Amino acid sequence: MIAIDSLIYKNISAAKDSLEQMDAGSLDEKNKAYYYLLKTIVGVNTNQAISNDSTITIAVQRFKAPIPNNNYLRAVIYQSVVRFQTGQYPDSIIFDAFKDVEQILAMKPDLMSRHTLTYLWFYIGLLHQSNSNHKLAEEYFSRALNNARQINNVESIVSASLGIFWSYLRNRNFEEAGAVLNRLDSLKDIPPERQLDILNAQGAYYIVKGNNSKAIGFYREIERLASSVSRKPRMPNIYYAIALAYDRMNLPDSVIYYAQKSINSINDSLLNKYDYHHLYAYLGSKALKQKLYPLAAQTYKEAFQLLMNSVERKTEKQILQLEKKYDISLAQIDSLRQRQRYQRLIFVSVGVFLVAIFVFLIFLLDLRKSRLELENERLLRVSAEQKMESNMRENQQKKHLLDLYRLITKRENNTQKRFSELSQRLVKNNPDIYNDLNNELKHLKREFFELLKGLVDDELFYSHLSIPKSIPLTNSEKMILFLLYFKMPGSEITKILGITSNNFRVRKSVIKKKLAGISEDNAVIQSLKGLF
């Protein structure tokens, strides 16, 4: 079925042949409904005569669901198209179905193909046109025309263009109507049935423009081509139009002749044949003018009988309309009850869902709390590990720093010895050079001391020794405290600072006095005091 469906707008003849080879009785209910839908679509698109809507109604009932789908909407559209073509249903029922589909498509515009949308807009336009709502008809015909152009469907382009043409003509917009016909003249590959529709439109256009002889030429061309098409045009209307043209040309014999041909072409195969009573009345009036009294009496009698039958049919249609409305009301009540049951089910489902969500949230909160506790424990463990690593790095840095200090001290002592050896050779013979070397040695000592000061700056000093910055300490005192804190022997300190042992003891005594006023709670200071 899906494969046949895909052929409808590509190779409709192949789709038709495939459907004819299938046995609908062997299909299940769902595929049988699909079969009836495709058969109706093919019939409408190939201009087959469809006398009733029984098969497409089965498809509509089968595809009906709380949430409309594509096949349901297609079935409703083609059910309405068939009802419109058969003329057995009032326009209100057809129009209501079309509007329901239009409202659904307004919320879900991608639910339907452009081919089906073209038919929807076109037939809504026809309904508005039949009720003289020409502005609305023109709007829907324009929608159908735009869709038809996008899918390059020539037949639909012609149908929608002619719908716009008839709206223009009835509103006496002759220039716009002529422009539509001119655009159709440039269209290629027009199907034969639609070519006859264009000829009919051209004949009507020239009648209202007053060029009756040219209009007759178009209608006679329709008469000539009618036998070559599968779906015959409404010949009673064609002959009636020719009679009207001859009437305006004041040729009564031709009027009588074509008026009789229009009546003789009425047969049982024509839909709504009882609505042709006006043709009999027209022939009766023209026969009466020509004093053809038997013909006038007979045609008036038949016109009266057809009119009575038409009234009966219209009454039947009104009764059918009321019955349909009653059925629709019952269906709406049933649908409302079903919707209420569906809403109660949704309400219960939502309640259960909310309870489940509440339980899930409680579980989620407990789980989150447990995860937070585990995460806090992990962070504490990581923090302790990081602190341990930091202490290890700090101790390692202290060791490297002391090694650096010792290296500097050793280098400084070696330098002093070397300078002393060199200076002893030059002290007698070259006193100037001796003095220069002594000066250079003093300068080098200062550089070593400044280098040490650069290594042990205030930031490093106060980061290790918690001594208030308000205590006035000199740079050398800070250096002595720092080296004592790292447990460097006094002999090495004196060499690093270039001072004597007595000077070192004096400076330690001064530092001890400065630290005497610090609180006993300072553990760092108490440990330093133990070094003095």
Side-chain angles (χ1 to χ4, degrees):
M1 287 298 177
I2 294 173
I4 295 173
D5 197 351
S6 65
L7 286 174
I8 287 179
Y9 302 109
K10 297 178 182 177
N11 188 346
I12 196 167
S13 298
K16 181 180 178 183
D17 294 340
S18 299
L19 288 172
E20 290 175 350
Q21 293 174 8
M22 296 183 70
D23 180 14
S26 63
L27 302 174
D28 59 23
E29 293 300 320
K30 182 177 180 181
N31 281 319
K32 186 181 292 185
Y34 201 2
Y35 172 85
Y36 288 149
L37 171 61
L38 298 182
K39 186 177 180 180
T40 303
I41 294 175
V42 169
V44 171
N45 284 274
T46 56
N47 298 318
Q48 296 178 23
I50 302 176
S51 58
N52 59 70
D53 67 337
S54 58
T55 56
I56 188 62
T57 299
I58 294 174
V60 171
Q61 294 172 349
R62 179 61 185 82
F63 287 125
K64 188 175 182 180
I67 301 177
N69 55 37
N70 179 34
N71 279 341
Y72 172 71
L73 295 183
R74 294 168 75 194
V76 171
I77 290 173
Y78 278 94
Q79 181 191 47
S80 302
V81 169
V82 169
R83 288 176 174 178
F84 181 84
Q85 291 181 350
T86 58
Q88 298 175 3
Y89 292 85
D91 291 347
S92 60
I93 292 178
I94 300 171
F95 185 77
D96 289 342
F98 278 143
K99 294 303 291 182
D100 289 342
V101 174
E102 188 177 16
Q103 290 175 359
I104 294 172
L105 291 178
M107 296 182 290
K108 297 183 177 180
D110 298 329
L111 197 58
M112 189 169 294
S113 68
R114 290 192 177 276
H115 291 91
T116 310
L117 276 176
T118 301
Y119 277 95
L120 175 64
W121 304 143
F122 176 72
Y123 278 95
I124 293 179
L126 284 181
L127 285 170
H128 282 301
Q129 193 175 73
S130 64
N131 289 282
S132 300
N133 299 322
H134 297 299
K135 286 292 183 183
L136 286 173
E138 181 184 341
E139 177 185 339
Y140 281 99
F141 285 139
S142 297
R143 290 189 193 180
L145 181 59
N146 290 333
N147 273 352
R149 285 172 175 167
Q150 290 179 8
I151 60 179
N152 196 26
N153 189 321
V154 176
E155 185 174 359
S156 297
I157 291 174
V158 174
S159 299
S161 298
L162 290 179
I164 295 173
F165 165 81
W166 290 114
S167 292
Y168 284 152
L169 198 66
R170 286 173 178 140
N171 285 329
R172 305 187 68 79
N173 296 327
F174 299 132
E175 291 185 5
E176 290 86 346
V180 173
L181 293 178
N182 291 335
R183 287 193 293 271
L184 289 175
D185 285 339
S186 61
L187 203 60
K188 298 179 180 179
D189 300 326
I190 300 175
E193 288 82 1
R194 295 294 172 259
Q195 289 178 349
L196 297 185
D197 292 339
I198 294 174
L199 291 172
N200 183 40
Q202 290 171 328
Y205 175 74
Y206 284 106
I207 282 182
V208 298
K209 292 287 286 185
N211 193 341
N212 297 293
S213 59
K214 193 169 184 178
I216 291 171
F218 287 111
Y219 288 127
R220 284 182 174 171
E221 182 67 12
I222 295 174
E223 183 182 17
R224 185 183 68 83
L225 297 174
S227 60
S228 62
V229 297
S230 57
R231 187 171 185 178
K232 308 300 180 185
R234 296 182 180 180
M235 295 310 298
N237 292 340
I238 301 301
Y239 291 132
Y240 175 62
I242 296 175
L244 288 177
Y246 279 122
D247 192 9
R248 294 183 179 184
M249 296 171 66
N250 198 22
L251 297 172
D253 291 339
S254 297
V255 173
I256 295 294
Y257 174 75
Y258 279 100
Q260 286 180 315
K261 287 195 73 171
S262 69
I263 290 173
N264 293 334
S265 61
I266 298 175
N267 53 56
D268 293 336
S269 64
L270 290 174
L271 297 173
N272 303 329
K273 66 177 182 178
Y274 297 108
D275 291 336
Y276 286 104
H277 56 82
H278 66 282
L279 298 181
Y280 288 89
Y282 178 75
L283 177 58
S285 65
K286 298 305 174 182
L288 187 62
K289 284 186 179 180
Q290 297 298 317
K291 298 181 180 181
L292 302 173
Y293 299 117
L295 178 61
Q298 180 64 27
T299 51
Y300 273 131
K301 180 181 178 180
E302 291 177 351
F304 174 76
Q305 187 62 43
L306 284 176
L307 181 60
M308 291 297 296
N309 292 336
S310 178
V311 170
E312 290 178 1
R313 284 177 58 82
K314 289 180 179 179
T315 303
E316 291 176 359
K317 287 179 66 175
Q318 290 177 350
I319 294 173
L320 179 62
Q321 180 178 3
L322 292 174
E323 290 177 349
K324 287 289 182 181
K325 287 185 176 180
Y326 175 73
D327 293 339
I328 291 173
S329 299
L330 290 178
Q332 289 176 342
I333 292 173
D334 183 63
S335 176
L336 182 60
R337 288 174 178 170
Q338 184 177 359
R339 186 180 301 172
Q340 288 176 344
R341 291 194 294 270
Y342 183 66
Q343 288 175 347
R344 285 196 294 269
L345 178 62
I346 290 177
F347 179 77
V348 173
S349 300
V350 169
V352 173
F353 178 74
L354 290 176
V355 171
I357 289 294
F358 181 73
V359 173
F360 177 74
L361 288 176
I362 293 176
F363 170 76
L364 194 64
L365 288 173
D366 291 340
L367 181 62
R368 185 178 179 183
K369 183 178 179 181
S370 301
R371 287 180 176 176
L372 286 174
E373 291 176 353
L374 290 174
E375 182 66 16
N376 289 334
E377 291 179 1
R378 188 186 68 83
L379 292 175
L380 289 173
R381 185 176 66 255
V382 170
S383 177
E385 292 174 354
Q386 290 177 346
K387 186 175 181 180
M388 186 181 297
E389 291 178 359
S390 177
N391 292 333
M392 291 176 64
R393 284 196 302 270
E394 184 177 354
N395 293 332
Q396 191 69 23
Q397 288 174 356
K398 292 177 181 178
K399 183 178 181 301
H400 286 306
L401 186 60
L402 291 175
D403 291 340
L404 178 61
Y405 290 158
R406 290 188 178 95
L407 179 63
I408 292 173
T409 303
K410 184 177 180 181
R411 181 61 180 170
E412 193 267 342
N413 288 333
N414 292 335
T415 303
Q416 286 186 12
K417 291 178 181 179
R418 184 61 179 162
F419 267 78
S420 296
E421 292 173 359
L422 292 174
S423 61
Q424 291 299 324
R425 298 176 185 177
L426 300 173
V427 64
K428 293 181 179 181
N429 301 326
N430 296 293
D432 294 334
I433 296 176
Y434 174 77
N435 293 331
D436 291 338
L437 287 174
N438 278 331
N439 292 334
E440 188 65 28
L441 182 60
K442 292 178 182 179
H443 179 69
L444 183 60
K445 288 182 178 180
R446 284 196 300 271
E447 284 185 352
F448 275 118
F449 186 74
E450 293 297 328
L451 177 61
L452 189 58
K453 285 172 56 180
L455 291 173
V456 186
D457 55 5
D458 286 349
E459 182 178 356
L460 182 65
F461 177 80
Y462 287 109
S463 65
H464 288 280
L465 280 75
S466 301
I467 296 175
K469 294 183 179 181
S470 59
I471 297 176
L473 294 173
T474 64
N475 290 333
S476 60
E477 289 172 347
K478 290 179 182 178
M479 193 71 65
I480 291 170
L481 276 175
F482 187 81
L483 296 176
L484 287 173
Y485 176 74
F486 284 105
K487 297 180 174 55
M488 184 175 284
S491 59
E492 291 188 10
I493 295 175
T494 57
K495 290 179 181 180
I496 289 174
L497 298 179
I499 59 178
T500 63
S501 298
N502 292 330
N503 192 336
F504 177 63
R505 283 194 295 274
V506 171
R507 293 191 182 189
K508 282 173 60 177
S509 178
V510 173
I511 294 170
K512 187 175 182 180
K513 291 179 180 179
K514 289 183 177 181
L515 298 178
I518 299 177
S519 172
E520 298 294 332
D521 297 333
N522 194 317
V524 176
I525 299 302
Q526 296 306 316
S527 64
L528 288 174
K529 288 180 178 179
L531 299 175
F532 293 99

